[in-house]
Amino acid sequence: MLVTSPPLTPVAAPASLDAFLAGVGPRAFRFAEAGLRQRDDALDAVQDAMERMLGYREHPAEEWTPLFWSILRRRIIDLQRRRGFRLKFWAPAQDGDGPIDWADDSPGPARQHEQREEYARLVQALRRLPARQREAFSLRVLQELDVATTARIMGCSEGSVKTHLSRARDALQKQLEVSR
């Protein structure tokens, strides 16, 4: 199974920062929870990022997406450092860790269960990737950010993002084919 991102269509800028934050909140929470593996820490990280965004209210709406994700990423890294590890997104779970509870609003319990299993397989495959590949894949594919925005967030060139993403997709495709 090849994991590809849908074609990105230009999205109209939100009318206000409040609308932007309301729209990005659930995705940001899932991203933070995957990186921190603690629901409360993820909520704190997203809330801190949103509070910091209030200081950028006067910036153009086009800058809000990369700015928000950069702020959230740095907050996640700060929290990880405090716990004694750095950028170990989706590291293999320890014995005491339970499965991540992914909230899903889709109809039907059977479909919910199927989506959780598929996502759990993807998360397990992502945990085996190197950190930069994992980060590029998460931002580009899961968060649907463009290459330029992802490069700004990761602090590297667009070519590096494309390389990391290509390698991540190849590795994920191999891992997910084996797990089926």
Side-chain angles (χ1 to χ4, degrees):
M1 167 177 133
L2 177 62
V3 179
T4 60
S5 61
L8 296 175
T9 56
V11 178
S16 70
L17 184 60
D18 294 335
F20 169 78
L21 294 175
V24 78
R27 289 186 355 207
F29 173 72
R30 286 192 303 270
F31 182 75
E33 188 177 33
L36 295 169
R37 293 205 266 131
Q38 296 282 334
R39 188 174 189 82
D40 292 338
D41 288 349
L43 287 169
D44 289 344
V46 172
Q47 183 176 359
D48 289 347
M50 287 182 173
E51 285 177 5
R52 288 192 182 176
M53 278 300 296
L54 294 177
Y56 297 97
R57 184 179 298 273
E58 301 304 320
H59 283 244
E62 302 82 43
E63 293 180 13
W64 291 345
T65 298
L67 189 57
F68 175 78
W69 287 104
S70 295
I71 291 169
L72 180 59
R73 179 178 169 267
R74 285 191 305 267
R75 183 67 183 130
I76 290 169
I77 291 169
D78 289 345
L79 289 169
Q80 288 174 335
R81 282 182 182 152
R82 288 190 181 127
R83 283 200 212 143
F85 62 94
R86 184 186 185 312
L87 276 179
K88 291 188 179 176
F89 284 96
W90 303 296
Q94 302 298 321
D95 295 338
D97 290 349
I100 297 172
D101 179 25
W102 299 105
D104 187 9
D105 296 331
S106 68
R111 182 67 187 140
Q112 280 184 326
H113 179 70
E114 184 178 312
Q115 285 177 342
R116 283 188 187 125
E117 285 185 351
E118 289 174 6
Y119 201 80
R121 279 193 299 275
L122 176 62
V123 168
Q124 288 299 321
L126 283 168
R127 286 179 176 167
R128 294 183 199 106
L129 292 177
R132 295 296 277 181
Q133 289 179 18
R134 206 172 24 247
E135 197 171 38
F137 184 86
S138 296
L139 293 170
R140 266 302 275 130
V141 177
L142 301 180
Q143 302 307 324
E144 299 178 355
L145 300 178
D146 60 40
V147 176
T149 303
T150 302
R152 281 181 58 193
I153 292 168
M154 291 178 63
C156 63
S157 69
E158 291 182 22
S160 293
V161 169
K162 292 176 185 178
T163 300
H164 291 308
L165 182 60
S166 175
R167 290 177 182 167
R169 283 184 171 157
D170 289 344
L172 288 173
Q173 182 178 6
K174 290 175 186 170
Q175 290 180 41
L176 293 174
E177 283 176 356
V178 169
S179 69
R180 288 211 165 233

